[in-house]
Amino acid sequence: MKILLAEDHDHLREILEDYLVENDYEVKSFDNGEDAYYCFLTESFDLILLDVMMPKMDGFTLCQKVREKEETPILFITAKVQEVDQLKGYELGCDDYIIKPFSLPVLLAKCKAITNRKHYQFLGKGILKLNTREKEAYLNNQNLNLKIIDYKILEYFIKNPNQILSREQILLKVWGFDYKGQERSVDTHIKILRKALGPYQKGIKTVIKQGYCFETKVFENG
């Protein structure tokens, strides 16, 4: 399980990171919302832990920006106890709150509860199912046995349905900003993914000179 942590209080951030790592989570941590958002754009996470009051980009803004792109679970860790602040977080799409000060076991329990609810994603009345915890994809209940790169491309498509995604966008999100290979690597893996999808491969549409579009209607209609 991979967590993105954004908390500007250095000591608390270090405590949280150490505790989560001890409990078998992989953690990427940042002291401001802007750097956390940039990391979110280039990597995939199972859960995002956000402080509200942060420099460069506050937690509410970061939550809103995340929700514009993906449904990654978000848990606010904040000292804001006013009802209006908590309601604002829920309106922006967060999954839960934990108010400072809090116990680490309670935080861990909330993390597990949220990710247990969120680790399956369905498309087309269950025709296509992702297990985002185990990084596995199922088509009509058959495991596609995708390699991790191909799984990540499919997950990125599903989280951005019916949108044209350029090869550069796919490279940035799936391979990361430090990848030194060619954009045509995307084409190679799209071929692999289409073959795995079999009769549903038309769901990945090539858009000439622009990239690819994942069309959900193919999975709705069979």
Side-chain angles (χ1 to χ4, degrees):
M1 298 290 287
K2 190 173 179 181
I3 291 179
L4 175 62
L5 169 63
E7 164 62 61
D8 68 334
H9 190 286
D10 293 340
H11 183 57
L12 177 57
R13 188 178 64 257
E14 291 171 3
I15 290 174
L16 293 176
E17 183 171 2
D18 289 345
Y19 183 75
L20 291 167
V21 169
E22 287 174 3
N23 283 276
D24 300 321
Y25 286 90
E26 178 183 349
V27 181
K28 288 289 187 73
S29 65
F30 298 90
D31 62 2
N32 68 85
E34 188 175 273
D35 288 345
Y37 180 62
Y38 182 73
C39 183
F40 161 77
L41 291 176
T42 59
E43 299 184 35
S44 295
F45 293 91
D46 298 292
L47 176 65
I48 300 175
L49 300 181
L50 293 182
D51 186 18
V52 174
M53 304 302 294
M54 292 186 294
K56 297 185 180 180
M57 183 187 297
D58 64 74
F60 287 144
T61 301
L62 179 51
C63 177
Q64 184 176 23
K65 285 181 171 292
V66 168
R67 280 293 168 264
E68 289 172 355
K69 294 184 176 296
E70 294 186 6
E71 292 299 318
T72 307
I74 295 174
L75 172 63
F76 274 116
I77 46 175
T78 179
K80 283 185 168 290
V81 297
Q82 297 297 319
E83 181 180 90
V84 64
D85 293 313
Q86 295 183 46
L87 290 175
K88 181 177 180 179
Y90 287 121
E91 288 171 1
L92 291 173
C94 82
D95 293 88
D96 203 354
Y97 260 90
I98 188 166
I99 305 298
K100 300 174 182 176
F102 53 82
S103 78
L104 293 176
V106 169
L107 173 68
L108 183 64
K110 282 181 174 285
C111 290
K112 289 180 177 179
I114 292 173
T115 52
N116 284 341
R117 291 198 304 267
K118 294 286 186 176
H119 75 276
Y120 280 105
Q121 184 166 354
F122 297 86
L123 182 65
K125 299 178 181 178
I127 291 173
L128 183 61
K129 179 174 71 173
L130 296 187
N131 182 334
T132 55
R133 171 181 291 175
E134 303 298 332
K135 307 301 181 187
E136 294 177 340
Y138 296 82
L139 184 63
N140 290 323
N141 295 318
Q142 296 297 313
N143 193 331
L144 296 179
N145 295 310
L146 299 177
K147 292 183 178 180
I148 188 62
I149 288 293
D150 304 312
Y151 169 85
K152 286 183 177 180
I153 293 173
L154 181 59
E155 182 179 49
Y156 186 41
F157 277 143
I158 289 176
K159 290 181 177 179
N160 297 274
N162 307 308
Q163 299 180 43
I164 298 175
L165 301 174
S166 69
R167 292 179 178 85
E168 183 180 3
Q169 285 177 296
I170 296 171
L171 278 174
L172 186 64
K173 187 64 178 181
V174 175
W175 277 268
F177 67 92
D178 57 348
Y179 178 67
K180 303 301 182 182
Q182 301 295 316
E183 286 189 359
R184 291 298 172 181
S185 296
V186 174
D187 299 341
T188 299
H189 287 276
I190 292 296
K191 290 179 181 178
I192 294 171
L193 197 50
R194 280 176 171 157
K195 183 177 181 180
L197 291 173
Y200 298 93
Q201 62 183 273
K202 291 182 179 179
I204 303 176
K205 179 183 177 181
T206 299
V207 183
I208 303 300
K209 295 184 179 179
Q210 295 186 63
Y212 296 97
C213 180
F214 190 73
E215 298 187 334
T216 56
K217 64 181 181 183
V218 173
F219 296 89
E220 295 292 343
N221 299 330

